[in-house]
Amino acid sequence: MRELVVSAIAAAALCAACAGRGGNPRGDSRESVTDALPDTAALEQRFADLAFELELSDDAARQRGAREYLRRSADEPGGLALAAEIADRYLFDPESPVYSEALYIPFLEYLISTGRDSTGLLDEELAICRRNAPGTKAPDFSYATPGGGRERLLKPGTAADIILFFHDPDCPRCRAFAEAMRASEAIDRRVAEGTLRIAAVDLSLNPSVEADTLYEIRATPSVYLLRADGTVVLKEPSPQRLAAELSEGVNN
C-alpha cells in the first residue's frame, strides 16, 4: 500500500495537470521558493511518507503529523511555503491521484492558526473541505432523471445506503468510475440485497444542482457514500476505497 501511495505522488509530480491550478494563492514566487530550497525532492519524499501514515491514522495523529511536517519544513529557507504548496497540490487538486480533502484539513488548520492566510484563500479551501465531510448530514435535494422524471436523494422509510454519483455523460473519468462500480462484487451484491442504491445525478440535466444545494462539485465524477438518513460516510472516495467500505457493510 505504501509503495502505491509513494508511486502515485511521484507520478503526479510529472503530471502537468497536477502542477497547480494557476497562480500561487499564498503570494510566494514559485521561482524564488525553488531557488531558496533546491532540494524539493526531499520535501516531496517526506510528504509521500507522511501521506501514507496519515491515511491510516486517526484525527489526532493527522493533526500532529501535519503540524510536525510543516514545522520541520519551516526550518529551511522557503521550506514552509513549498511544503504548503505540495500539500495543496497533492491533497486538494481533484486531478491528483492522492486527492484527499480529509487529509488536507489538518494542514490548512495549522497554516491558518499560525497566521499564514493573509488573503483568506486558505480559509475558503478549509470551508470547502469541511462541507459535507464524513460524519455530517448531506443536504437532500431533487434531481431530474434521464427518463424525464424526478427523484429525491433521501427516501424516508428506506434503510438502503446511497452512492451519490455526480457525473457528466461526456466525462471519461465518470465512465471509468461507473465501470468500476459495475465491476464491484460488493456493490453488485449490496444493490441486489436492497441495502444499497445508486443516485446518479447527470449534471447535463441538472446544471444548477451545485448552486441549488450545498455540494461543491470541483471535478467530475464527484462521489459520496451516504447512510440512508444522509450521514456522510465517505467523501470523494476512489472506486477501490468505496468498494472496500461497502464490503465491510456500511449500515451494519
Side-chain angles (χ1 to χ4, degrees):
M1 173 65 179
R2 178 176 183 274
E3 289 76 10
L4 291 176
V5 173
V6 174
S7 296
I9 291 178
L14 300 176
C15 175
C18 298
R21 293 180 301 284
N24 186 353
R26 291 169 184 83
D28 301 299
S29 167
R30 184 72 55 82
E31 290 76 10
S32 63
V33 168
T34 304
D35 292 341
L37 185 66
D39 196 5
T40 304
L43 268 182
E44 298 224 22
Q45 182 58 56
R46 196 184 305 160
F47 181 82
D49 294 338
L50 177 64
F52 170 73
E53 294 175 7
L54 297 187
E55 180 66 30
L56 305 176
S57 301
D58 59 22
D59 289 342
R62 289 178 177 182
Q63 291 282 353
R64 289 194 301 271
R67 181 175 62 248
E68 291 308 310
Y69 172 74
L70 293 171
R71 281 180 176 174
R72 183 178 174 188
S73 301
D75 292 337
E76 306 175 61
L80 181 60
L82 184 56
E85 190 272 339
I86 289 170
D88 178 284
R89 187 187 341 142
Y90 291 122
L91 299 180
F92 193 60
D93 187 340
E95 299 295 327
S96 167
V98 291
Y99 165 59
S100 173
E101 292 180 5
L103 293 186
Y104 190 41
I105 286 175
F107 291 89
L108 289 170
E109 289 177 336
Y110 176 80
L111 292 167
I112 293 170
S113 69
T114 53
R116 292 174 171 87
D117 187 26
S118 59
T119 65
L121 289 177
L122 296 183
D123 195 57
E124 291 179 12
E125 289 187 352
L126 182 59
I128 290 172
C129 293
R130 286 176 170 168
R131 188 173 301 152
N132 300 324
T136 64
K137 284 289 187 71
D140 190 16
F141 65 96
S142 67
Y143 58 95
T145 63
R150 296 196 69 83
E151 293 277 351
R152 292 207 69 85
L153 173 64
L154 304 183
K155 297 183 177 181
T158 64
D161 297 318
I162 308 161
I163 296 176
L164 174 56
F165 180 58
F166 293 106
H167 69 101
D168 188 306
D170 296 326
C171 165
R173 292 178 59 194
C174 297
R175 292 194 292 271
F177 201 107
E179 183 59 35
M181 288 196 293
R182 284 192 289 269
S184 168
E185 293 182 2
I187 293 176
D188 184 65
R189 173 178 54 80
R190 292 285 303 276
V191 170
E193 292 172 348
T195 59
L196 177 71
R197 61 186 178 87
I198 300 175
V201 181
D202 184 338
L203 294 175
S204 68
L205 299 177
N206 298 274
S208 64
V209 67
E210 185 175 10
D212 293 344
T213 68
L214 296 178
Y215 292 90
E216 186 82 25
I217 304 171
R218 301 176 54 229
T220 53
S222 183
V223 183
Y224 293 81
L225 177 61
L226 312 174
R227 295 190 188 275
D229 65 355
T231 301
V232 179
V233 179
L234 296 176
K235 178 182 179 181
E236 307 293 4
S238 66
Q240 296 79 12
R241 180 71 182 89
L242 179 62
E245 185 71 31
L246 289 169
S247 295
E248 298 171 3
V250 176
N251 59 6
N252 293 335

